[in-house]
DNA sequence: GATTATAAGCGTAATTTTTACGCTTATTTT
DNA sequence: AAAATAAGCGTAAAAATTACGCTTATAATC
């Protein structure tokens, strides 16, 4: 110890990996990529990168997201550290896994072509390299837990959405049916949705009113002690 | 990329830091240490260490705990990665913070002498080095959130405890008073405590029966869909 | 052009959970 | 023996959750 404190320690490679979730067709989906390098070249993998010398870890995850989807400012949060010494046969690498939530919109096919990426159903995930399956499973657990107490579900929906769409999302997350009428009652009673004049008519004959999540209102309520729970 | 994939990346120092909580005198407490090295020698700090080349990250945290308290097998869980590039003026170090829960028992004074450690009230935490205060605040939040849905509080109590003791712990964690009668009703209704014959008479004239957390019973109930919530 | 089918949307009753709080009990202190 | 204290038990009121019937708007079908 002492003067040599920092010199005596052995540095390790530090990576970030991103578990990217989306929602489409009433299903929760995961974005996976073909690995470009050996070992395991061409196998399905989470997208990741090494953390650069002067780069914040979270910034590295954001960079990876932008490089792999073209999107900035999407929901991104740390999942945890994967630090088993032998987890990567290529070298001693610890990975800080992050999970991201994005709206799947038009560029979906472009994504696939440009980045060799593909959306998988979360209950049909192919074999993944290293400990990536474990990361995905943990991310799913975390998403399920977190979605209940924080309004993060909206990150997966378009800005304007219907109550039935929102319910369908929660049914996908929780993997269980929710009563239409009670769900609507509960979410509306929170008073964090803004009702719009427009209706979405793509999903039903009658059509359903579009709503928007009101972040300011939500934060105001939270400041007064409100707890989101769905 | 390609063959040089791993070679091109720049390795970083990886540390673990431990936020160690205890409970004594109806107060939640935090174990802090005098830092042994420069910079910030002698200032209050979390206990930590660099992750060794062939060591799992979690194992490093466990090693630190054992070296600093003499205790093995205490509750330990990852808190998160602290990865701001400039967080440590001594070098580029990322730290994986962990939080630990321990029973404060006899060796408390020994700890202080042997390891230059001291238990602080969680609402009277002194200035800490680097981003350690931030880590502690996050750990407190996580503890408060997690204690509500997982029976981790028992890790902070002696094996045998009374209902009023348990309530006092939760009052300390949540920083609010809980109704004696409703608290008892709720925790007993879960059917995860085993009532003992003995009474503890140190805290009241009448004395209170001792209980023990029944882990097997708890796990059995969880398997059947039970959700702990306090 | 009327009828049917479908999902949206509104309401109400039953049930369960939470909250508030009174009363008794065992023991120590006065 | 009386008073004081915290443990422990019970019950009623209030709030939240659950179950589910009915109406409505629209597109598809007859």
């Amino acid at each position: 110890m002492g003067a040599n404190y920092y010199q005596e320690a052995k540095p390790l490679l530090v990576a970030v990996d991103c578990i990217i979730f989306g929602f489409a067709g009433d299903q929760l989906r995961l974005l996976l990529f073909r690995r470009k390098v050996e070992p395991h070249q061409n196998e399905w993998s989470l997208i990741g990168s090494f953390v650069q010398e002067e780069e914040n870890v979270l910034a590295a995850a954001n960079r990876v997201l932008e490089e792999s989807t073209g999107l900035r400012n999407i929901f991104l949060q740390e999942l945890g550290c994967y630090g088993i010494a032998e987890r990567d046969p290529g070298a001693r690498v610890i990975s800080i896994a992050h999970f991201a939530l994005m709206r799947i919109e038009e560029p979906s096919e472009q994504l696939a072509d440009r980045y060799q990426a593909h959306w998988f159903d979360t209950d049909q995930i192919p074999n993944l390299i290293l400990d990536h399956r474990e990361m995905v499973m943990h991310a799913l657990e975390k998403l399920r837990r977190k979605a209940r107490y924080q309004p993060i579900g909206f990150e997966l929906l378009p800005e304007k959405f219907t109550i039935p769409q929102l319910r369908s999302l929660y049914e996908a997350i929780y993997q269980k049916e929710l009563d239409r009428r009670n769900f609507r009652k509960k979410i509306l009673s929170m008073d964090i949705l803004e009702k719009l004049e427009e209706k979405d008519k793509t999903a039903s004959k009658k059509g359903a009113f579009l709503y928007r999540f009101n972040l300011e209102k939500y934060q105001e309520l939270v400041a007064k002690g409100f707890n989101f729970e769905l």
Side-chain angles (χ1 to χ4, degrees), chain A residues 84-99:
Chain A
I84 302 272
E86 309 79 15
R87 59 177 288 280
D88 187 332
R92 173 71 206 264
V93 183
I94 76 160
S95 175
I96 315 299
H98 290 72
F99 77 99

Side-chain angles (χ1 to χ4, degrees), chain A residues 201-217:
Chain A
K201 301 235 180 146
T202 60
S204 78
K205 295 166 185 175
K206 182 173 176 179
F209 280 102
L210 287 163
Y211 289 78
R212 188 161 33 203
F213 174 59
N214 188 334
L215 180 61
E216 293 73 37
K217 192 67 180 281

Side-chain angles (χ1 to χ4, degrees), chain A residues 40-54:
Chain A
H40 300 294
Q41 188 161 20
N42 247 12
E43 294 180 37
W44 288 112
S45 159
L46 295 171
I47 190 74
S49 168
F50 291 110
V51 176
Q52 293 167 9
E53 203 177 356
E54 316 235 312

Side-chain angles (χ1 to χ4, degrees), chain A residues 27-177:
Chain A
Q27 293 279 349
L28 202 54
R29 310 207 173 228
L30 174 67
L31 190 61
L32 294 174
F33 298 77
R34 293 275 185 193
R35 175 153 158 128
K36 295 208 185 96
V37 299
E38 290 295 351
H40 300 294
Q41 188 161 20
N42 247 12
E43 294 180 37
W44 288 112
S45 159
L46 295 171
I47 190 74
S49 168
F50 291 110
V51 176
Q52 293 167 9
E53 203 177 356
E54 316 235 312
E55 185 180 41
N56 294 350
V57 172
L58 188 59
N62 267 306
R63 170 175 54 80
V64 164
L65 272 182
E66 186 172 352
E67 287 170 0
S68 64
T69 65
L71 298 173
R72 281 165 176 262
N73 296 324
I74 69 180
F75 178 94
L76 176 66
Q77 187 188 298
E78 185 185 331
L79 175 65
C81 170
Y82 290 76
I84 302 272
E86 309 79 15
R87 59 177 288 280
D88 187 332
R92 173 71 206 264
V93 183
I94 76 160
S95 175
I96 315 299
H98 290 72
F99 77 99
L101 305 180
M102 64 175 276
R103 310 174 211 282
I104 305 182
E105 289 172 4
E106 333 77 65
S108 188
E109 313 77 34
Q110 296 172 31
L111 265 183
D113 301 345
R114 195 140 31 106
Y115 304 105
Q116 299 201 57
H118 190 256
W119 285 107
F120 286 84
D121 224 51
T122 45
D123 48 18
Q124 290 181 14
I125 293 168
N127 282 333
L128 299 179
I129 63 164
L130 313 184
D131 50 5
H132 286 195
R133 169 174 291 272
E134 195 186 341
M135 292 179 182
V136 170
M137 291 307 153
H138 290 163
L140 272 168
E141 279 171 40
K142 181 140 188 169
L143 174 60
R144 294 192 164 118
R145 214 167 341 109
K146 196 168 174 91
R148 176 162 272 123
Y149 304 109
Q150 304 274 190
I152 59 174
F154 305 107
E155 306 286 343
L156 291 163
L157 291 178
E159 203 208 327
K160 299 171 182 186
F161 53 84
T162 66
I163 308 273
Q165 265 169 33
L166 184 62
R167 177 170 56 89
S168 159
L169 169 65
Y170 273 87
E171 289 183 334
I173 293 175
Y174 297 156
Q175 300 180 286
K176 84 174 213 202
E177 269 199 20

